[in-house]
Amino acid sequence: MLALARQRLGDGVVLERAELGGPLPFADAGFDDVVASLVLHYLEDWTTALAELRRVLKPGGRLIGSVHHPFVSHLTAPPGTDYFATRSTSQWWELGGTKHLMTFWDRPLHAITDAFTAAGFRIDVISEPPPGPGARERFPEIFAQRESGTFLCFLFFVLTKT
Ligand SMILES: C[S@@+](CC[C@H](N)C(=O)[O-])C[C@H]1O[C@@H](n2cnc3c(N)ncnc32)[C@H](O)[C@@H]1O
């Protein structure tokens, strides 16, 4: 993602990568944007991560990201699972030829939006985006099944530091 960002933005832009969950090694109010793409759902506690992301953003800076869609997590959970609980689920994933036990933290939609606003962000966009340009030509079998071609998978958001 950093390589793609570099390609799109050119050499004159500072790009950093960081571990979420503890203090970030950056000064206050230094960044225009933070991207947290498909990462927050690995964390049980979002309070520290969101506070730190907000701290390093300039006033009016944006947190742009995505998480597992909470409806998918619920639809694929065992019968009787409490949608309204924040709960961990684990799955074995094969990555680079070895199996890894992946643990995610599922939470209901309101817990996601409440965490954002409690951390001092305004929610500008909550999105379930349609397929990108060219998807219909590349994956005609999916569009044959349903006209939108969209599958329920991730929830995307754009937040602004208030
Ligand atoms: C499903 S991948 C998403 C990769 C990429 N960001 C994307 O959107 O395609 C999950 C990523 O989250 C990263 N990750 C997991 N826990 C993290 C944490 N506490 N801080 C930063 N990154 C983390 C993993 O290293 C991995 O690259």
Side-chain angles (χ1 to χ4, degrees), residues 130-131 136 142-143 146-151:
R136 183 179 290 274
I142 292 176
F143 286 80
R146 51 182 184 282
E147 181 49 33
S148 72
T150 304
F151 62 98

Side-chain angles (χ1 to χ4, degrees), residues 86-102:
T86 293
R87 63 203 181 275
S88 69
T89 54
S90 295
Q91 295 170 7
W92 286 97
W93 282 13
E94 193 160 331
L95 301 162
T98 48
K99 290 196 170 178
H100 301 265
L101 186 63
M102 307 295 291

Side-chain angles (χ1 to χ4, degrees), residues 18 103 108:
T103 298

Side-chain angles (χ1 to χ4, degrees), residues 1 18-20 37-39 42-43:
M1 292 189 80
E19 183 89 9
L20 292 180
S37 174
L38 299 178
V39 56
Y42 291 92
L43 303 176

Side-chain angles (χ1 to χ4, degrees), residues 20-127:
L20 292 180
L24 294 175
F26 306 117
D28 294 356
F31 291 91
D32 298 302
D33 287 330
V34 171
V35 176
S37 174
L38 299 178
V39 56
L40 285 172
H41 51 239
Y42 291 92
L43 303 176
E44 178 181 10
D45 170 32
W46 285 13
T47 309
T48 308
L50 290 174
E52 278 293 279
L53 292 175
R54 186 178 182 280
R55 180 184 67 74
V56 302
L57 279 169
K58 294 177 183 173
R62 300 179 305 173
L63 169 55
I64 303 158
S66 52
V67 289
H68 286 170
H69 198 303
F71 299 169
V72 175
S73 306
H74 185 61
L75 288 169
T76 56
T81 300
D82 184 1
Y83 169 77
F84 292 98
T86 293
R87 63 203 181 275
S88 69
T89 54
S90 295
Q91 295 170 7
W92 286 97
W93 282 13
E94 193 160 331
L95 301 162
T98 48
K99 290 196 170 178
H100 301 265
L101 186 63
M102 307 295 291
T103 298
F104 312 102
W105 287 90
D106 299 328
R107 60 197 78 215
L109 182 60
H110 82 268
I112 293 173
T113 54
D114 288 355
F116 292 157
T117 51
F121 289 100
R122 183 184 71 228
I123 300 171
D124 289 331
V125 177
I126 293 270
S127 167

